[in-house]
Amino acid sequence: MRNLTKLSLVALALILAACSSSPLSGARGGAFGANDGSVNDPTSVAYFNQNIGDRVLFEVNQSTVNDAGRLVLAQQAAWLNSNPAFTILIEGHADEQGTRAYNLALGDRRATAARDYLVSQGVASSRLSTVTYGKERPIEICSQEACYSQNRRAVTVLTGGANS
Amino acid sequence: MKMRLIARTLILALTLGPLNLTTAQAQTGPLRIEVTDGVIEPLPIAVPTFVAENAAAAQLAEEISRVVVADLVGSGLFREIPREAHIAKITSFDAAVRYADWKAINAQGLVTGAVSVQGKRVIVKFRLFDVFSDKPLGDGLQFTGSTDAWRRMAHKVSDAAYGRITGEGPYFDSRVVFVSESGPKDLRQKRLAIMDYDGANVQYLTDSTSIVLGPRFSPTGDRVLYTSYESGSPRIYALDVASASRRVLNNQAATLSFSPRFGPDGDAVVFSLAKAGNTDIYTMSVRGGAQTRLTSSPSIDTDPSYSPDGSQIVFESDRSGNQQIYVMPAGGGEPKRISFGAGRYGTPVWSPRGDYIAFTKQNKGRFHIGVMRVDGSEERLLTSSFLDEGPTWAPNGRVIMFSRETSGATGTSSLYSVDLTGRNLKRVPTPLGASDPAWSPLQK
Amino acid sequence: MGFPHGIALGGNKISGTAISGLGHAALIGWVLVGGMFMRPTPSRVETVANVALISADQFSALQSIAPKTVIEPPEVQSPTSEEAPKVVAPADTPVAPADRPAPTPEPSVEKAPEKPDLTPPQTEVVVQSPEPPAPPLNEELAVIKPEETAPRPVDRVAPVPSALSVPEARDDVVKREATVAAPSDAPATPIEESTAPKAANTKIVTEAERVKIAPERSVRPKSRPKPTKVVAKPAPKPEKPAVDPLQAALSEALSGEATKAETPSPRPSGPPLTASDKEGLRVAVSNCWNVGSLSTDAQRVVVVIGFSVGRDTRPKNETIRLISSTGGSGVSVNQAFETGRRAIIICGRKGFPLPDDKFEQWRDIEITFNPERMRIK
């Protein structure tokens, strides 16, 4: 009888685990890896940012996504398609080597370029929105190309999902 | 007989002296020369302390004279003969002026004044004298106002003196709206602020919870258009200066708006609208309602500015491959490019006199503030630095204010002004960092 | 260099010395004077290619054929509907006076307004409409005009319609303007001023005023042409010879008041003025020609100013007059004239470097002041 109880308990646990891993609660983790929202959790934002990469960079005054950018965006798209709970805001940024309004427009172009690519990779456009910060929110402030290049970016920011 | 006379004159000229440089004819008529080079120096002017006509006016009399001096000297066109050097003392506003005393200290202009205070009311009188010609320069004037507005009255005195002596339009009684900045470059706190053109009387119009950019005055100086992130993305707002109340002008979903400016009628608003990654120029009424699209090209079209008569709009577009300046009719239509030099051109602003367009130019890693004629000719650069941008015109179309940011992690932004001739570049004092200035019209 | 045999001219021989001297003087003159023109040119921006101006008619034509832009569907909310609640309440929106103590991160504003600006910007500043600068020889007494409101149409275009506009403030302003309109306690009668000397006195003061005012800058010309002296030396008295009745009559007529008229016949009044003589005068006047305070309009005005000079090489200030001008409006022309006049008077105080024996040639002078090269520095 005790073996049967144990077996039942284990089966119950498994059933419960299976029930809890419905498609709508992706943050709980699947059958593999952690399900705690940490970077080890492949369905977490932390994992996305660190392992997939949340940004693509651009050349001076350019808003076309280059090859490296396409790779990153393709991976983002794949992840996003597997984790449909998230909504996505893409921020476009520019470096300080330009006038204020033009950089707002340039940031918007970059965000839109990244967005369009994600859509082309199957991400539902209803999940996506864009915003520009122009040159208002640089992340590197050394006023040299090494810093400028980091600021010319489109950043994919995730909201929604169970662990966010 | 005439021939003999001429012949004799010739002989005379030729035989006189070995160093005979002119041709053989003798001079006819007055001696004529052309002077094309001179000096450029500030005009020496004396502004003795204004007479306090009653005891209550003593402090204001001193302060008002100081502001008058600061205005005139600050314009770069005048130099003050310091009080210590004055021979004559003005103790009574109506006493005769001893021109010789002022000539003796090399003053060419003299401003005398008197102030009286009754409670909250102050009366300021002044006279202007052309010392050089021993006579008054125009009539004296008298201003009355609240003691709270004493600085404005001082500016009115300076405006009168400046205008009469230089012939230039006045600009001292004006204000500047700008973005006050604090914090590091990667987390700048920004808020709208307004002050007198000389940096006095700073007041804040918003708090710093959202990024604000590019404020611009209405033609009467009572409202300000600007861009704010308070909704989460950049949108244009109209703000009433007196009450600081504001409202958003563009609320369409999936759009961004920025770079707004009033038309000269105080009702039209021209601005940039970004939709689906494309930025074009639109107009709408400040009261709200439908928007009219003026440009439709895949390029970035932004930074629009009306001509003073409202018939044209100058703006910036990268349709040619990089940012250049274009002019189009105010109702839309084929834009005409007017900038052709090397580099990138942006932030064009039409002068209130209609004769120039000021702009920001980037070339070879440097930024410049420049001006050009409205057809693009006579381009002149007035400044050069790591990052100068966003010129705005004083009401007289002669002085330009702009932002200057310094490089590196500790860089900050400040306001600077420069004369149309490129001279008198200097910082405009603000309590903290500052950017995106816009100059008001002359106050009434 | 040398032409040992000289050259013939009209039956008379000019000696080789004369030609040699001519060449030397030209060289000296160029050395003395040519440097003035070697000014480093400001770095020039590329000039713009020809851009044709479109006339108003052409603009309208363009407008009429341009595809009319599509008016966006009214997605934009009317501002009064939702935006009132959206706009933050006055507690958050800093009305100016309340704001100052609130934001702690900001240090207190330097020279914060000692009195909060409770009055709207349109304070009662009553202004007499400004007068244009008085014309040069017009003596005016400074008069304090009685207070008047300048009738300024208040531009109330499109007041902010939202519920948060503050009508009280506006009424307040209107009221203030109304009270000011009534003539108030200020003296209503023009104040006679006894400060300005009468015209005659002015003249006397000006001419009698030979005070040795040391100018703050030297008004000595940059280069003083030396050859002037040399020229004067060997000349026999220029006025005397070759006088016939016609010439004498002309001289008489011309030696009187300063005249504007050109004299058609030559006056044999000494050796002709040399280029270096003229240069000396030009430099002398230039040193005092201060264009720094000219308006941008006046910087485009060219004026020709005429005046007479006394035997002592000092200008007769009362003869300084505008002969002609090009460009600019009345005010700018007056400005340009005044600036030139000042140059003549200031640098003429100690006299001009003009050769004494050529008096007849420089007793009347016309100077063209052309600020074009000074406009952009």
Side-chain angles (χ1 to χ4, degrees):
Chain A
M1 207 29 92
R2 275 176 68 182
N3 279 346
L4 189 61
T5 313
K6 273 190 215 168
L7 199 63
S8 319
L9 284 170
V10 171
L12 190 62
L14 284 171
I15 289 164
L16 282 172
C19 284
S20 65
S21 65
S22 67
L24 289 172
S25 58
R28 286 221 189 274
F32 303 94
N35 55 354
D36 55 0
S38 76
V39 69
N40 293 321
D41 176 358
T43 64
S44 73
V45 176
Y47 179 91
F48 177 90
N49 290 343
Q50 196 155 324
N51 293 41
I52 304 289
D54 67 343
R55 61 196 61 197
V56 296
L57 303 181
F58 295 85
E59 296 301 310
V60 177
N61 271 347
Q62 296 303 309
S63 54
T64 39
V65 181
N66 58 19
D67 294 338
R70 272 196 288 274
L71 278 175
V72 173
L73 288 173
Q75 288 180 318
Q76 287 188 6
W79 190 95
L80 290 169
N81 287 334
S82 310
N83 293 278
F86 291 97
T87 51
I88 301 113
L89 172 66
I90 302 178
E91 300 177 350
H93 298 263
D95 67 28
E96 69 182 336
Q97 301 180 97
T99 53
R100 206 174 302 282
Y102 186 82
N103 275 341
L104 287 178
L106 188 57
D108 178 61
R109 265 188 181 163
R110 289 172 175 159
T112 304
R115 176 192 188 278
D116 288 350
Y117 192 80
L118 290 178
V119 169
S120 77
Q121 299 294 297
V123 181
S125 59
S126 58
R127 298 170 64 187
L128 293 158
S129 57
T130 59
V131 72
T132 173
Y133 282 98
K135 59 175 177 175
E136 306 304 312
R137 286 285 178 264
I139 52 171
E140 298 295 337
I141 54 178
C142 72
S143 294
Q144 289 165 25
E145 177 56 20
C147 291
Y148 293 152
S149 59
Q150 297 301 307
N151 293 330
R152 298 189 295 265
R153 66 199 193 278
V155 182
T156 303
V157 180
L158 305 178
T159 51
N163 261 3
S164 57
Chain B
M1 260 134 323
K2 231 7 172 328
M3 283 308 291
R4 290 184 63 205
L5 173 64
I6 291 172
R8 273 190 283 176
T9 315
L10 272 173
I11 295 164
L12 201 64
L14 287 173
T15 53
L16 287 177
L19 294 178
N20 206 342
L21 294 179
T22 62
T23 58
Q25 303 122 279
Q27 175 185 309
T28 61
L31 166 58
R32 292 199 173 87
I33 60 169
E34 186 179 16
V35 171
T36 56
D37 293 301
V39 298
I40 295 174
E41 289 183 355
L43 207 72
I45 193 165
V47 185
T49 309
F50 283 17
V51 174
E53 292 192 327
N54 57 8
Q59 187 186 351
L60 269 190
E62 169 71 27
E63 290 177 331
I64 288 174
S65 337
R66 291 240 167 270
V67 170
V68 171
V69 170
D71 284 344
L72 294 176
V73 172
S75 73
L77 306 186
F78 296 91
R79 165 171 72 80
E80 186 199 7
I81 311 264
R83 307 257 169 88
E84 308 83 69
H86 295 186
I87 296 173
K89 303 290 175 215
I90 304 289
T91 49
S92 157
F93 184 61
D94 294 319
V97 165
R98 293 156 47 140
Y99 292 105
D101 286 347
W102 300 102
K103 284 187 188 171
I105 58 171
N106 278 307
Q108 288 190 18
L110 169 69
V111 181
T112 64
V115 178
S116 63
V117 170
Q118 265 100 39
K120 290 288 271 178
R121 275 171 68 84
V122 57
I123 297 174
V124 180
K125 300 184 283 196
F126 85 96
R127 288 197 177 101
L128 185 61
F129 297 93
D130 182 346
V131 170
F132 187 82
S133 311
D134 298 296
K135 57 181 170 57
L137 189 55
D139 292 339
L141 291 185
Q142 176 173 300
F143 303 111
T144 312
S146 151
T147 48
D148 288 341
W150 69 265
R151 292 193 80 102
R152 282 199 59 196
M153 282 183 273
H155 293 315
K156 289 246 175 271
V157 171
S158 329
D159 273 334
Y162 173 86
R164 290 182 197 179
I165 295 176
T166 67
E168 207 69 85
Y171 73 100
F172 300 122
D173 187 19
S174 59
R175 297 203 286 179
V176 171
V177 65
F178 64 102
V179 171
S180 173
E181 300 192 354
S182 60
K185 260 193 196 181
D186 51 358
L187 203 60
R188 275 280 154 79
Q189 301 297 300
K190 294 190 169 187
R191 54 193 308 202
L192 283 194
I194 190 170
M195 63 183 184
D196 294 353
Y197 96 98
D198 58 0
N201 288 331
V202 179
Q203 297 165 22
Y204 295 99
L205 300 172
T206 68
D207 60 24
S208 50
T209 53
S210 332
I211 298 173
V212 288
L213 308 171
R216 282 85 180 255
F217 274 107
S218 62
T220 49
D222 63 334
R223 290 158 297 158
V224 165
L225 293 171
Y226 67 105
T227 304
S228 168
Y229 276 75
E230 69 175 84
S231 69
S233 60
R235 295 192 183 281
I236 60 176
Y237 288 74
L239 176 143
D240 177 72
V241 174
S243 66
S245 67
R246 61 191 186 269
R247 90 198 127 78
V248 70
L249 292 185
N250 168 58
N251 225 8
Q252 275 174 287
T255 66
L256 312 165
S257 50
F258 49 93
S259 197
R261 269 211 177 86
F262 272 105
D265 63 359
D267 184 74
V269 173
V270 67
F271 62 102
S272 274
L273 188 80
K275 204 164 27 175
N278 187 34
T279 302
D280 280 306
I281 294 183
Y282 287 68
T283 55
M284 62 181 286
S285 160
V286 73
R287 291 166 283 142
Q291 297 166 349
T292 306
R293 184 173 188 170
L294 296 188
T295 68
S296 41
S297 80
S299 58
I300 291 176
D301 300 326
T302 188
D303 279 326
S305 162
Y306 276 96
S307 60
D309 67 358
S311 67
Q312 296 173 266
I313 290 173
V314 64
F315 66 100
E316 161 194 340
S317 172
D318 65 358
R319 59 187 64 195
S320 73
N322 66 357
Q323 298 153 263
Q324 299 291 336
I325 298 175
Y326 293 78
V327 175
M328 68 178 170
E334 187 60 31
K336 190 158 202 88
R337 177 172 163 180
I338 64 170
S339 61
F340 291 94
R344 298 197 191 93
Y345 294 78
T347 75
V349 190
W350 216 300
S351 149
R353 295 200 290 206
D355 53 356
Y356 281 104
I357 288 170
F359 57 87
T360 302
K361 175 167 171 171
Q362 290 173 252
N363 193 22
K364 302 196 174 81
R366 299 282 287 175
F367 279 73
H368 312 269
I369 301 297
V371 293
M372 59 174 60
R373 292 289 183 184
V374 301
D375 63 358
S377 61
E378 294 185 39
E379 175 181 330
R380 261 187 312 123
L381 301 183
L382 307 182
T383 76
S384 173
S385 89
F386 168 75
L387 210 171
D388 288 344
E389 70 167 305
T392 179
W393 290 93
N396 68 353
R398 167 141 190 179
V399 183
I400 290 171
M401 200 179 292
F402 60 97
S403 305
R404 172 170 286 185
E405 171 107 34
T406 51
S407 79
T410 55
T412 54
S413 185
S414 313
L415 302 186
Y416 279 75
S417 66
V418 67
D419 188 80
L420 183 59
T421 54
R423 287 187 224 104
N424 202 32
L425 174 71
K426 59 187 184 146
R427 187 158 170 252
V428 180
T430 51
L432 302 167
S435 61
D436 287 355
W439 215 314
S440 81
L442 202 66
Q443 298 191 94
K444 301 205 195 297
Chain C
M1 117 170 139
F3 299 85
H5 302 294
I7 54 177
L9 177 71
N12 299 288
K13 218 165 153 189
I14 301 182
S15 66
T17 326
I19 294 164
S20 165
L22 191 136
H24 278 89
L27 182 66
I28 293 166
W30 182 84
V31 166
L32 287 172
V33 161
M36 301 273 299
F37 303 103
M38 301 301 157
R39 205 169 290 273
T41 52
S43 55
R44 276 290 174 194
V45 178
E46 298 86 340
T47 51
V48 174
N50 275 340
V51 175
L53 270 178
I54 298 184
S55 74
D57 291 335
Q58 287 169 300
F59 262 149
S60 333
L62 273 177
Q63 251 176 303
S64 59
I65 59 170
K68 240 336 168 208
T69 53
V70 174
I71 303 224
E72 297 285 278
E75 282 180 54
V76 178
Q77 318 283 350
S78 137
T80 50
S81 53
E82 275 94 348
E83 301 326 311
K86 191 174 169 65
V87 183
V88 291
D92 286 1
T93 310
V95 180
D99 179 56
R100 228 161 296 107
T104 38
E106 261 79 22
S108 60
V109 171
E110 151 208 302
K111 275 194 94 60
E114 353 11 297
K115 314 151 193 46
D117 190 10
L118 298 170
T119 61
Q122 290 90 348
T123 52
E124 343 164 9
V125 177
V126 180
V127 173
Q128 182 65 40
S129 45
E131 309 268 339
L137 299 176
N138 188 0
E139 295 293 1
E140 278 182 7
L141 301 179
V143 166
I144 306 287
K145 295 249 166 75
E147 260 182 76
E148 288 172 7
T149 19
R152 296 183 192 279
V154 177
D155 184 4
R156 297 273 177 231
V157 170
V160 176
S162 96
L164 290 167
S165 67
V166 187
E168 302 77 57
R170 287 183 217 254
D171 288 347
D172 191 35
V173 170
V174 169
K175 269 202 285 282
R176 282 178 192 277
E177 293 199 7
T179 53
V180 159
S184 68
D185 43 328
T189 55
I191 298 169
E192 280 296 300
E193 192 200 49
S194 52
T195 65
K198 295 286 179 276
N201 290 348
T202 303
K203 269 205 190 123
I204 291 170
V205 167
T206 307
E207 290 199 358
E209 186 253 313
R210 296 290 183 217
V211 176
K212 294 300 172 216
I213 297 169
E216 299 210 347
R217 293 172 309 101
S218 162
V219 297
R220 283 181 286 282
K222 291 190 193 122
S223 58
R224 203 183 160 83
K226 289 289 168 283
T228 320
K229 289 295 168 212
V230 182
V231 167
K233 177 182 34 85
K237 235 25 223 106
E239 252 99 46
K240 294 298 182 288
V243 175
D244 65 9
L246 173 64
Q247 187 57 35
L250 278 170
S251 301
E252 282 307 307
L254 292 165
S255 62
E257 312 301 313
T259 61
K260 298 176 198 162
E262 261 181 63
T263 163
S265 59
R267 290 173 284 169
S269 51
L273 280 170
T274 63
S276 52
D277 291 336
K278 297 185 188 178
E279 189 55 25
L281 174 65
R282 197 186 64 76
V283 168
V285 174
S286 298
N287 277 340
C288 297
W289 187 45
N290 182 5
V291 299
S293 56
L294 281 179
S295 70
T296 44
D297 261 358
Q299 287 170 17
R300 297 182 168 272
V301 175
V302 178
V303 291
V304 179
I305 298 180
F307 61 102
S308 298
V309 187
R311 199 66 214 251
D312 59 358
T313 74
R314 288 195 169 93
K316 297 182 183 172
N317 293 350
E318 72 282 6
T319 65
I320 301 177
R321 68 210 176 272
L322 179 68
I323 291 180
S324 68
S325 73
T326 29
S329 64
V331 170
S332 316
V333 169
N334 191 55
Q335 257 238 306
F337 167 71
E338 285 292 339
T339 305
R341 177 172 164 267
R342 268 197 289 269
I344 294 165
I345 292 179
I346 295 178
C347 272
R349 279 202 187 118
K350 295 188 180 175
F352 291 123
L354 295 163
D356 181 65
D357 59 320
K358 299 181 187 177
F359 172 64
E360 288 301 322
Q361 299 178 60
W362 48 257
R363 64 190 306 160
D364 299 309
I365 299 181
E366 280 179 17
I367 303 184
T368 300
F369 289 94
N370 184 348
E372 182 173 359
R373 282 168 42 157
M374 298 295 293
R375 264 196 287 131
I376 298 143
K377 280 271 164 177

